[in-house]
Amino acid sequence: MKGANVTLVVEFILLGFSDLPNLQEFLFRIFLVIYLSILLGNGLIILITKTDQSLQTPMYYFLRNFSFLEICYATVTVPRMLTDLWTHNRNISLWACATQLCLFVTLGVTECFLLALMAYDRYVAICKPLHYFLIMKHNVCVGFVVGSWILGIPVVIGLTNQIFSLPFCDSTELNQVFCDIYPVLQVACGDTSMNELSVYADVVLFGIIPFILILNSYIRIISTILKLPSATGRSKAFSTCSSHLTVVTLFFVTAIMTHFYMAGREKMLSLFYTIITPVFNPVIYSLRNKDVITAMKNYCLNGWGHKEMR
């Protein structure tokens, strides 16, 4: 970028919803309600799958970790967004921006792997039911989950360091509600082609490959289900996958659209898979899972019973 003035950047400006000055208070209330809903809904899933004895299976162990991940995902972005809307101070330090970006991308990588693990769990349950508990031992599941949380950390830290080592131009306004990779690269000076290549490589490694694994699992699942003799068996098998498949579709479709976005809409798309999807996940798993519904009813009844005894 010849002729551009390079400056020592100590902070960025998150434009967010600054183009909607009359809606700041309204947006603050909306996002506050959404954030509290994410905490409440996913927190309830964690509590129920942890305490209900009928839900002590690998499937719900993965779901519990996934719900915790959704809380972390929203917490990385929403509180900062609420602060900006309330104070109208959109400045964010270079260090805070790098930290937010690093955490956000790390959680995104973890989500991809967890979704792949949940698909594999459904594959084993439906295609190899007699060997399910032999394959999905507790220590194996714990190892899978720990790997999902830490596998991408070194790569993401390296990518973040690479991005924030770039020189930045005079304009440090990020057209986004949080620090994301592409808005930061857009205000960098010089040639960013190598950085973009690294981003695409990471997307393939931590996004496309898990998606292919999920697709492979569901191809095998559908093939097995279609061979079942009874319609009732097929319906029951499909119902155990429907919640996860819905979440996978929501996450990957919006994530792909964001990375290959249409100009001017990337902000809303990123909000969708970082905020809207986490708030709907508990609803999806509750309404489409009879075991979770039953556990919730039992929890509410037992809780009410304890109150009455007091």
Side-chain angles (χ1 to χ4, degrees):
M1 191 179 293
K2 295 181 180 179
N5 292 325
V6 180
T7 183
L8 181 62
V9 173
V10 294
E11 63 181 15
F12 292 105
I13 301 172
L14 291 169
L15 294 180
F17 299 100
S18 57
D19 55 335
L20 302 171
N22 297 327
L23 295 177
Q24 299 296 294
E25 186 176 343
F26 172 75
L27 290 172
F28 175 85
R29 292 176 180 176
I30 291 294
F31 289 127
L32 179 60
V33 170
I34 290 174
Y35 182 56
L36 294 177
S37 299
I38 291 171
L39 297 181
L40 180 62
N42 287 286
L44 187 59
I45 292 290
I46 293 171
L47 178 63
I48 289 173
T49 56
K50 181 69 175 177
T51 58
D52 193 285
Q53 291 302 312
S54 65
L55 302 182
Q56 303 307 305
T57 63
M59 174 182 174
Y60 296 106
Y61 174 71
F62 291 137
L63 177 57
R64 182 160 64 248
N65 277 273
F66 187 73
S67 294
F68 177 69
L69 173 71
E70 295 294 60
I71 290 176
C72 295
Y73 217 167
T75 301
V76 167
T77 56
V78 182
R80 173 76 205 193
M81 193 190 313
L82 292 172
T83 302
D84 291 348
L85 288 169
W86 183 258
T87 63
H88 305 290
N89 179 15
R90 307 181 190 282
N91 293 5
I92 182 170
S93 68
L94 188 71
W95 172 252
C97 187
T99 302
Q100 186 183 52
L101 185 148
C102 186
L103 290 174
F104 175 75
V105 177
T106 300
L107 292 171
V109 170
T110 303
E111 182 152 1
C112 290
F113 282 127
L114 274 181
L115 288 172
L117 281 178
M118 294 169 81
Y120 177 71
D121 173 74
R122 292 299 83 208
Y123 157 72
V124 176
I126 293 173
C127 301
K128 300 182 179 181
L130 298 179
H131 300 91
Y132 179 70
F133 288 103
L134 183 63
I135 296 173
M136 305 302 290
K137 294 179 181 178
H138 181 68
N139 60 334
V140 174
C141 294
V142 171
F144 280 155
V145 169
V146 171
S148 297
W149 279 94
I150 68 174
L151 193 59
I153 291 177
V155 177
V156 174
I157 291 176
L159 178 65
T160 304
N161 180 67
Q162 184 185 49
I163 291 172
F164 282 88
S165 296
L166 290 167
F168 293 97
C169 303
D170 286 337
S171 177
T172 55
E173 294 181 341
L174 306 182
N175 188 28
Q176 184 57 284
V177 293
F178 57 89
C179 286
D180 202 356
I181 293 174
Y182 295 110
V184 174
L185 286 178
Q186 285 173 356
V187 299
C189 290
D191 184 13
T192 61
S193 57
M194 289 303 297
N195 302 90
E196 292 174 4
L197 185 62
S198 297
V199 172
Y200 288 131
D202 291 343
V203 168
V204 171
L205 183 62
F206 298 123
I208 303 299
I209 291 178
F211 179 75
I212 291 173
L213 293 175
I214 292 170
L215 194 61
N216 179 62
S217 293
Y218 273 104
I219 289 173
R220 293 171 180 267
I221 288 170
I222 292 171
S223 176
T224 300
I225 290 175
L226 293 177
K227 293 177 183 177
L228 295 176
S230 69
T232 303
R234 290 194 294 271
S235 176
K236 184 176 180 181
F238 272 122
S239 67
T240 64
C241 302
S242 59
S243 299
H244 176 258
L245 195 54
T246 302
V247 171
V248 166
T249 303
L250 284 173
F251 176 78
F252 277 101
V253 168
T254 51
I256 290 170
M257 289 177 68
T258 302
H259 285 288
F260 301 97
Y261 57 77
M262 293 176 287
R265 297 185 181 180
E266 66 274 13
K267 192 185 300 183
M268 296 307 298
L269 286 171
S270 62
L271 277 178
F272 192 92
Y273 77 86
T274 57
I275 298 176
I276 305 301
T277 301
V279 82
F280 277 115
N281 283 346
V283 178
I284 293 169
Y285 278 104
S286 298
L287 295 180
R288 303 182 69 88
N289 191 305
K290 293 180 180 179
D291 292 336
V292 174
I293 292 174
T294 301
M296 283 185 174
K297 288 180 179 178
N298 291 336
Y299 183 81
C300 291
L301 290 174
N302 291 336
W304 178 259
H306 289 313
K307 289 179 181 179
E308 287 296 316
M309 291 175 64
R310 291 178 185 175

